[in-house]
Amino acid sequence: MYNVIFLGAPGSGKGTQGEVVAKELKLAHMATGDLFRKAIERGDELGDTVKSYMERGELVPDEITISVVLKHLAGLKDVSGIILDGFPRSLRQAEALDEALVKQGEGIGRVIYINVPEDELVRRLSGRWVCRSCQSPYQCGCAEVAEGKCSRCQGELYQRPDDTPETVKERLKVYFSKTAPLIEYYRSKGKLSEIDGMAEITEVTKRIISAIKCGK
């Protein structure tokens, strides 16, 4: 199984690119944020715990994240590979993932780091609205946000609590302190491909697919 990790700060576009690239390369796509939001929607104890961290712009603790993700990965069947979007987010999570994959006789094929300047990340996140039904993202100023409806499924648009300006700044602070070290971790293993996230969306997609196929 060919496993790919997508690294990038909140707002870098890794979720959008993960879905597109997974479809193009016929890989499964696992977004940690989606797993957490489903837990929140269930309203169980796990969901309440996850919600409290996300609303404060903090990372969900490693032990919880590792448990949720590895359980999901263990349940995947008949897939040729997977794109991991939003996991790992810390060195401890990366080590736990490596250990789990080694036990299965697998490993990480490529790590894609989508690099976007911090001021652009704040602009993107503070103006982001999301469809409650299909999770499609939109930016302030577009017709869909003005109407409050998703053009794909007509679902209601809303701004996540973790996308308010105050929370955005905290999220980025946490990211750069805890997640950014993963860039050097995977670079040292010869697995990292750095992609300019300021390019046009289609160009970013093209570069990511090339990096995955060429392994550099």
Side-chain angles (χ1 to χ4, degrees):
M1 194 160 74
Y2 195 80
N3 302 300
V4 181
I5 292 172
F6 273 36
L7 289 180
S12 63
K14 65 181 182 299
T16 298
Q17 292 294 340
E19 291 182 1
V20 174
V21 174
K23 184 176 181 180
E24 180 71 23
L25 299 181
K26 295 180 172 57
L27 301 174
H29 176 236
M30 186 216 74
T32 310
D34 289 344
L35 295 182
F36 287 156
R37 278 184 279 276
K38 287 178 182 177
I40 292 173
E41 289 172 4
R42 290 197 303 269
D44 55 18
E45 183 177 356
L46 172 63
D48 290 342
T49 300
V50 168
K51 182 179 180 180
S52 68
Y53 286 99
M54 292 181 70
E55 289 186 342
R56 294 195 300 270
E58 299 176 6
L59 293 182
V60 177
D62 285 342
E63 59 270 20
I64 297 176
T65 304
I66 291 169
S67 175
V68 170
V69 171
L70 294 187
K71 181 178 179 180
H72 178 78
L73 292 179
L76 291 177
K77 305 295 180 183
D78 302 320
V79 296
S80 58
I82 184 169
I83 288 178
L84 295 159
D85 168 9
F87 183 88
R89 288 192 175 186
S90 69
L91 290 176
R92 181 180 173 191
Q93 291 179 17
E95 291 165 353
L97 176 61
D98 286 343
E99 183 179 340
L101 292 177
V102 166
K103 289 181 179 178
Q104 298 173 20
E106 300 175 12
I108 299 299
R110 181 79 356 208
V111 178
I112 302 296
Y113 168 46
I114 303 177
N115 190 1
V116 176
E118 187 173 355
D119 58 347
E120 173 65 11
L121 295 172
V122 173
R123 186 193 71 79
R124 290 183 184 182
L125 289 171
S126 298
R128 183 169 67 176
W129 289 69
V130 181
C131 174
R132 287 190 186 278
S133 300
C134 70
Q135 300 301 308
S136 293
Y138 296 92
Q139 282 293 125
C140 276
C142 69
E144 288 86 353
V145 171
E147 296 176 1
K149 286 187 178 182
C150 174
S151 58
R152 293 186 181 181
C153 71
Q154 299 303 302
E156 176 193 1
L157 300 187
Y158 77 109
Q159 189 169 47
R160 293 171 182 162
D162 54 346
D163 281 344
T164 59
E166 298 76 14
T167 308
V168 163
K169 292 178 182 178
E170 181 61 28
R171 289 172 67 192
L172 292 176
K173 178 181 177 182
V174 171
Y175 169 78
F176 286 113
S177 66
K178 295 186 177 181
T179 307
L182 289 175
I183 297 168
E184 294 308 317
Y185 176 78
Y186 287 114
R187 195 194 304 276
S188 69
K189 291 177 175 290
K191 300 287 187 180
L192 191 81
S193 293
E194 186 168 330
I195 306 295
D196 180 7
M198 293 295 286
E200 290 292 329
I201 293 177
T202 54
E203 179 61 26
V204 173
T205 302
K206 185 192 303 183
R207 294 176 186 176
I208 289 174
I209 291 176
S210 177
I212 293 174
K213 288 184 174 180
C214 298
K216 62 181 181 180

